[in-house]
């Protein structure tokens, strides 16, 4: 694979870089750089700017309002956004539900929901995991019973990311208890304003409110909110998870975090030495850089394959495994680089203590702890290895 950008791709890279320099709000970029929590207004505002430029739905076909970009253009765009410390595109509607609707949804569902995802009318969250069903997703127990023209939903979902901002949730629900567990699951679209839904925050180890638990008590959902066929939701779930796992890899975020780490390593310590000149630390940096370059190539291969086949294949599990391991390795090395200062909490204004640790590294410990979860959600890395041995090796 030729990794040298063509002249046209270099022009595109410059276009993206210049647009980001003039359009990305600096206060939002600084929040991302320092690891501060973004508000709903920050994320919605960024989506609106991208949508106005026509760059929000990077993976959608042009017929649905997407960019129609090549895999290399998508890679360049993600890399430049992360390098500029732009907020991530919230994936649940744009990168997860939208491909499902394009493949399995009715024409009415596509016509209703896709424009609302693009213009920000709807903020979707994901209702997959439950207290007893995470990586073993087929064990889910949230029930949906058909009554006339509606489903009555009862149960609980857990780890619902950014659900506190959402007005809609797509859910896996059990509609049949006969046969194999996978054969009785359906995919429902639910309005979070429906009576009987309660959302409660879950505080993470670093103190942030990123995830939630959602309770459904006799929630009435119109039958036309079913996507695909009843009891065929497992097929849809697997399709969606390939998109989620490719996104979890976070190649662009690892590139940005690695550059940030190298910057930290080049800064002189109080005694005048630099970590970049320490052979052991430099060797650890080199190991991460080698893995990151290999992941770039793998990411491009996955993008080209997804463009050809219409969806990522089981190889997306490779990206999920290596991507999360690399991000965690970067977080760990940054924490080691800061030494005792990594244990310091940010000040009330999130600037950190400049005398002990630079403001843009003040939340490294929080980032380290938060990212311990990325090798678990979306199907733990152990589960991904099982998928690969079955799908690719036939074991």
């Amino acid at each position: 694979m030729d990794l040298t950008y063509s002249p046209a791709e270099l022009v595109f890279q410059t276009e993206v870089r210049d647009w980001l320099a003039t359009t990305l709000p600096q206060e939002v970029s600084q929040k991302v750089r320092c690891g501060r929590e973004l508000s709903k207004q920050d994320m919605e505002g960024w989506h609106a700017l991208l949508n106005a430029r026509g760059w929000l739905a990077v993976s959608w076909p042009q017929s649905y309002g997407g960019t129609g970009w090549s895999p290399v253009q998508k890679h360049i765009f993600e890399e430049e956004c992360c390098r500029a410390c732009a907020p991530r595109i919230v994936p649940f509607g744009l990168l997860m539900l939208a491909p499902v609707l394009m493949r399995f949804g009715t024409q009415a569902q596509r016509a209703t929901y896709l424009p609302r995802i693009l213009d920000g009318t709807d903020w979707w969250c994901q209702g997959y995991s439950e207290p007893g069903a995470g990586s073993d997703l087929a064990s889910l127990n949230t029930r949906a019973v058909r009554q006339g023209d509606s489903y009555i939903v009862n149960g609980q979902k857990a780890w619902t990311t950014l659900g506190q901002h959402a007005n809609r949730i797509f859910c896996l629900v059990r509609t049949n208890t006969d046969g194999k567990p996978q054969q009785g699951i359906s995919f429902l679209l639910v309005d979070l304003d429906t009576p009987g839904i309660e959302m409660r925050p879950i505080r993470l180890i670093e103190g942030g409110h990123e995830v939630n638990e959602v309770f459904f008590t006799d929630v009435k959902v119109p039958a036309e909110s079913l996507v695909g066929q009843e009891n065929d939701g497992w097929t849809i779930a697997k399709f969606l998870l390939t998109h989620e796992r490719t996104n979890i890899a976070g190649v662009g975020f690892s590139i940005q975090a690695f550059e940030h780490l190298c910057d930290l390593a080049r800064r002189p310590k109080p005694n005048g030495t630099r970590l970049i000149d320490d052979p052991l630390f430099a060797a650890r940096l080199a190991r991460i850089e080698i893995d990151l370059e290999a992941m770039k190539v793998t990411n491009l291969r996955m993008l080209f394959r997804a463009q050809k086949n219409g969806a990522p294949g089981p190889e997306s599990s490779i990206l999920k495994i290596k991507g999360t391991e690399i991000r965690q390795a970067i977080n760990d090395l940054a924490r080691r680089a800061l030494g005792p200062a990594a244990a310091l909490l940010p000040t009330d204004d999130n600037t950190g203590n400049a005398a002990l640790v630079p403001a843009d590294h003040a939340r490294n410990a929080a980032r380290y702890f938060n990212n311990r979860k990325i090798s678990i959600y979306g199907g733990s890395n152990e589960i991904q290895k099982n998928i690969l041995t079955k799908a690719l090796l036939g074991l």
Side-chain angles (χ1 to χ4, degrees):
M1 177 178 290
D2 184 5
L3 297 181
T4 304
Y5 292 150
S6 69
E9 289 162 349
L10 289 173
V11 169
F12 175 75
Q13 183 183 47
T14 300
E15 180 186 3
V16 173
R17 190 172 294 176
D18 291 346
W19 184 83
L20 288 167
T22 57
T23 308
L24 175 61
Q26 288 305 302
E27 64 275 12
V28 174
S29 177
Q30 187 62 16
K31 281 186 179 181
V32 175
R33 183 180 302 277
C34 295
R36 293 164 57 190
E37 189 170 317
L38 296 175
S39 68
K40 182 180 182 181
Q41 290 71 28
D42 291 332
M43 291 179 275
E44 286 184 327
W46 179 234
H47 278 208
L49 290 170
L50 288 170
N51 191 40
R53 185 66 178 80
W55 287 356
L56 181 57
V58 296
S59 299
W60 292 19
Q62 286 180 295
S63 57
Y64 288 113
T67 59
W69 285 345
S70 70
V72 174
Q73 286 176 305
K74 296 174 189 175
H75 177 81
I76 289 172
F77 177 74
E78 179 186 3
E79 189 174 55
E80 292 302 322
C81 283
C82 291
R83 183 167 284 126
C85 293
R88 70 165 182 160
I89 293 176
V90 180
F92 306 106
L94 285 156
L95 304 179
M96 295 164 67
L97 178 61
V100 164
L101 293 178
M102 292 174 195
R103 173 70 70 88
F104 301 98
T106 64
Q107 180 57 40
Q109 288 170 339
R110 290 192 290 267
T112 298
Y113 294 118
L114 293 180
R116 293 169 64 92
I117 291 173
L118 272 184
D119 67 17
T121 301
D122 288 336
W123 183 311
W124 288 89
C125 60
Q126 182 183 29
Y128 268 33
S129 295
E130 298 181 5
S135 293
D136 183 18
L137 193 56
S139 298
L140 65 89
N141 287 312
T142 296
R143 293 293 308 275
V145 178
R146 182 71 180 261
Q147 291 186 4
D149 294 332
S150 301
Y151 287 96
I152 306 300
V153 181
N154 285 277
Q156 178 185 355
K157 296 295 180 179
W159 312 116
T160 306
T161 304
L162 300 181
Q164 70 270 28
H165 301 321
N167 66 318
R168 296 184 183 275
I169 184 171
F170 53 88
C171 288
L172 291 181
V173 295
R174 184 159 302 285
T175 46
N176 195 324
T177 56
D178 298 330
K180 293 176 61 176
Q182 293 88 342
Q183 294 173 344
I185 293 172
S186 298
F187 192 101
L188 278 184
L189 308 177
V190 182
D191 186 338
L192 283 171
D193 289 330
T194 307
I197 299 177
E198 179 187 2
M199 189 170 299
R200 301 177 188 171
I202 299 175
R203 289 290 174 183
L204 297 179
I205 191 170
E206 93 289 357
H209 173 200
E210 185 180 5
V211 294
N212 306 267
E213 52 185 348
V214 188
F215 297 86
F216 300 85
T217 305
D218 294 330
V219 177
K220 189 174 182 180
V221 179
E224 60 264 26
S225 296
L226 175 73
V227 178
Q229 299 299 311
E230 185 174 286
N231 300 322
D232 196 31
W234 190 247
T235 300
I236 300 174
K238 292 189 293 182
F239 175 84
L240 185 147
L241 284 170
T242 60
H243 288 272
E244 180 184 18
R245 288 163 185 160
T246 303
N247 182 61
I248 291 172
V251 179
F253 294 110
S254 290
I255 293 171
Q256 187 271 336
F258 182 74
E259 292 178 353
H260 209 203
L261 173 59
C262 290
D263 176 66
L264 176 62
R266 294 187 186 100
R267 297 184 184 185
K269 295 190 288 186
N271 64 3
T273 63
R274 302 185 310 165
L275 280 170
I276 196 72
D277 299 321
D278 177 85
L280 179 58
F281 192 89
R284 287 171 170 165
L285 274 179
R287 179 71 265 170
I288 292 174
E289 185 173 18
I290 291 168
D291 287 345
L292 186 53
E293 288 300 314
M295 191 171 68
K296 287 182 187 178
V297 177
T298 304
N299 184 55
L300 283 170
R301 285 175 177 162
M302 296 302 104
L303 289 171
F304 275 106
R305 190 162 298 174
Q307 185 181 57
K308 178 182 178 181
N309 299 332
E315 301 89 345
S316 62
S317 293
I318 298 173
L319 269 184
K320 201 274 182 179
I321 294 168
K322 291 304 298 181
T324 55
E325 289 177 348
I326 290 170
R327 288 178 71 184
Q328 289 175 342
I330 293 171
N331 295 151
D332 181 56
L333 198 54
R335 185 176 60 94
R336 291 171 180 267
L338 288 170
L344 295 173
L345 293 175
T347 55
D348 290 340
D349 61 358
N350 282 294
T351 60
N353 189 329
L356 297 174
V357 57
D360 54 347
H361 291 279
R363 296 192 61 84
N364 260 323
R367 189 179 294 114
Y368 167 83
F369 285 117
N370 185 283
N371 280 344
R372 301 314 299 164
K373 70 181 186 298
I374 62 177
S375 55
I376 301 173
Y377 70 65
S380 70
N381 284 4
E382 290 77 13
I383 294 295
Q384 303 314 306
K385 292 173 184 178
N386 290 341
I387 291 172
L388 289 170
T389 56
K390 291 179 180 178
L392 298 184
L393 303 179
L395 299 179

